[in-house]
Amino acid sequence: MRLFTPEAMREADGKAAEMGYPTLLLMEWAGMKAALVYRELFGDAPAVVLAGKGNNGGDGLALARHLHLGGVPVRVHAASGQGGDALLMRQALEALGLPLLPLEEASWGAGEVLVDALFGTGLKGPLEGFYAGLVERVNASSLPVLALDLPSGLPFTPHVRATATLAFAALKTPHLLHREACGKLFLAEIGLPKALLEREDLPEVATPQALKPLLPRRPLTAHKGSVGRVGVLGGYRGDTLRYAGAPILAALGAYRMGAGLVHLAVPEGTPLEPLEAVFHPVPAPALPPMRVEALAVGMGGGPWGKAWALEALKAGLPTVLDADALHPEVVALYRQAGVKAVLTPHAGEAGRLLGLPPEEVTQDPLAAARALAEATGLTVVLKGNPTVVAEGKRLSVNPTGNPALATGGTGDVLSGAIAALMAAGLAPFDAARLAVYLHGLAGDLLAEERGVGLLAREVAEALPRARRALEKGLGLPFALV
């Protein structure tokens, strides 16, 4: 599955027309699928459809007709000036005797559901004047809102804050970059020729279908030395300060992702957790003798972070560089040595590596992840919501995860999980996108039960549960209709 920009989606629609595919059918299918989602979410609650004059408005008019024919009370407020397919949808509604009221007179009341069919992907800049005011009125109404294709106004401000959004044909970048505005997300196939949706130049959306085949399989003859051994190097101990929890959490993440054995190189005096680990207490950063296939380095390293990374480099093994190991000179040395490495920065760390302010990284994480991967020649996991995995020209955007994961230590768990998958034989890009997906899914499963207040170790403990869900093909955080 590919993640489309609004421009790429309009290009696909145009090519469908050039191929001879009737675009009216796309609009009709959009209306039918929207009616299905509406009835699933809101039953027979009366609908107020706010329709613009473009194709998004046409989708709304098609929805209104299907709801009307299904016995749902519908009131339509539509802009004037429709053309093409949208005009045909307007005429079909008028032929049924359903009045179309001016959009300027839009009103609603308690118990009604608003349908946002104003703009979709057609915006070139922020809403102003009447439409900005209308969007603000929609948001202030406290009524449920179903947005068709995109909440109107995105990716700019103001924009509709929807209860649910039905994306047509493919997900677009604002669906994942502005998830909070979209509410519950649905994706509808509307008949667009599949060849137009297979764009290898566009980012991937991580899905169970793509990731399930990557899960390492264990033969009956498996033993702890054959399923992947991980070395974790991290922690810091100063005169008045000690970081001990981060490497321990990385070890837990590695074990729960399936590592057969984890070695922990940590400062002397670090608590012996988890008990299953092989401990190597050291007075200063060092690479002890250990038989492992992958390393995770830097968690809780503090002032020792760079030294841990340089010690790990001596092993020449696939390595996850996290937190305090993320220094430009360290990254350059790993690239020069040809070591397979995965960088796991958050926006601030990525900004430091790129020489950009964190706000710029957050504003366009896809571009930032791609730039960092191209600049370093390594695999990049740019943590955030969404998390983006980049390697060369490949981008994978992760749809799992939620704000409950915003707690100390969850990134350490992720680093250990990635290292475990590399130790099991996965290439860095595959290990990263699979671990990111399962880590986010573990957070989703926990948040659904408990809300906020999760502990990082709980996320680690939920990784096997997330894996079982993926094995069953479950876990996609949006519904297909």
Side-chain angles (χ1 to χ4, degrees):
M1 181 182 294
R2 298 290 170 171
L3 184 64
F4 277 66
T5 62
E7 294 78 15
M9 196 74 252
R10 289 194 291 270
E11 182 181 332
D13 290 339
K15 287 184 176 179
E18 292 173 7
M19 295 166 60
Y21 194 91
T23 54
L24 184 63
L25 290 182
L26 299 176
M27 191 172 288
E28 177 68 1
W29 271 99
M32 286 192 294
K33 291 293 183 74
L36 288 174
V37 171
Y38 184 98
R39 297 295 291 269
E40 177 183 335
L41 293 175
F42 310 115
D44 294 331
V48 178
V49 178
L50 307 176
K53 66 179 182 179
N55 285 340
N56 192 244
D59 297 334
L61 297 176
L63 161 66
R65 175 164 47 85
H66 286 289
L67 290 180
H68 174 69
L69 293 173
V72 176
V74 182
R75 188 167 74 257
V76 180
H77 290 276
S80 59
Q82 281 89 1
D85 296 338
L87 177 59
L88 295 176
M89 291 299 175
R90 182 181 185 117
Q91 292 170 344
L93 268 184
E94 291 171 337
L96 290 174
L98 189 67
L100 275 70
L101 305 172
L103 189 59
E104 292 78 10
E105 298 176 7
S107 63
W108 44 78
E112 294 182 313
V113 177
L114 302 180
V115 176
D116 167 24
L118 293 171
F119 290 103
T121 62
L123 279 182
K124 298 292 194 301
L127 295 175
E128 298 176 344
F130 167 75
Y131 284 104
L134 180 59
V135 163
E136 296 288 11
R137 286 179 56 210
V138 168
N139 291 337
S141 72
S142 298
L143 295 178
V145 179
L146 173 62
L148 301 190
D149 210 13
L150 271 183
S152 290
L154 281 182
F156 310 103
T157 301
H159 56 254
V160 167
R161 296 192 295 273
T163 307
T165 297
L166 175 59
F168 296 134
L171 293 182
K172 291 83 180 176
T173 47
H175 289 132
L176 298 186
L177 297 184
H178 302 274
R179 287 169 60 180
E180 193 167 9
C182 296
K184 187 173 183 179
L185 190 57
F186 296 81
L187 174 61
E189 182 178 341
I190 59 173
L192 197 71
K194 291 189 181 299
L196 299 177
L197 299 176
E198 297 170 355
R199 291 270 303 268
E200 293 188 0
D201 60 317
L202 295 176
E204 305 169 15
V205 178
T207 63
Q209 182 180 13
L211 297 180
K212 181 180 175 181
L214 300 179
L215 288 168
R217 304 297 175 183
R218 289 196 176 190
L220 290 175
T221 55
H223 56 84
K224 66 184 178 184
S226 68
V227 295
R229 295 165 295 192
V230 173
V232 175
L233 283 66
Y236 166 70
R237 183 173 185 176
D239 294 334
T240 60
L241 187 65
R242 183 173 67 186
Y243 300 143
I248 291 171
L249 289 168
L252 284 170
Y255 267 128
R256 290 305 188 187
M257 190 54 80
L261 192 65
V262 178
H263 289 257
L264 261 171
V266 288
E268 292 175 337
T270 299
L272 300 182
E273 294 185 50
L275 296 177
E276 297 86 352
V278 178
F279 275 81
H280 302 270
V282 294
L287 179 65
M290 55 175 74
R291 290 185 63 189
V292 296
E293 287 77 45
L295 299 171
V297 181
M299 297 70 58
W304 289 8
K306 186 183 298 186
W308 278 124
L310 296 178
E311 286 292 315
L313 183 58
K314 298 174 182 177
L317 295 170
T319 302
V320 179
L321 294 172
D322 187 24
D324 299 311
L326 293 170
H327 296 272
E329 56 271 32
V330 168
V331 172
L333 289 172
Y334 271 77
R335 180 178 187 176
Q336 291 169 14
V339 171
K340 295 179 180 179
V342 178
L343 314 180
T344 61
H346 54 57
E349 292 160 344
R352 186 174 71 243
L353 293 172
L354 287 168
L356 298 175
E359 297 78 16
E360 192 169 331
V361 174
T362 303
Q363 186 176 3
D364 194 346
L366 277 70
R370 177 182 280 119
L372 187 54
E374 291 179 350
T376 62
L378 304 175
T379 304
V380 172
V381 175
L382 179 53
K383 295 182 287 193
N385 195 357
T387 291
V388 181
V389 181
E391 183 182 272
K393 295 187 179 300
R394 292 188 71 183
L395 282 179
S396 177
V397 184
N398 185 60
T400 63
N402 64 85
L405 288 168
T407 185
T410 54
D412 306 313
V413 171
L414 175 61
S415 293
I418 297 171
L421 291 173
M422 288 201 295
L426 269 66
F429 184 80
D430 290 338
R433 60 188 177 128
L434 178 57
V436 166
Y437 187 93
L438 291 173
H439 180 267
L441 181 55
D444 290 342
L445 294 171
L446 291 172
E448 187 176 347
E449 297 171 354
R450 309 179 192 179
V452 298
L454 303 183
L455 298 178
R457 65 173 55 241
E458 294 172 330
V459 177
E461 298 296 342
L463 287 173
R465 183 178 165 197
R467 176 174 176 146
R468 289 196 300 273
L470 179 58
E471 288 172 341
K472 296 176 182 178
L474 305 177
L476 195 64
F478 53 87
L480 301 174
V481 293

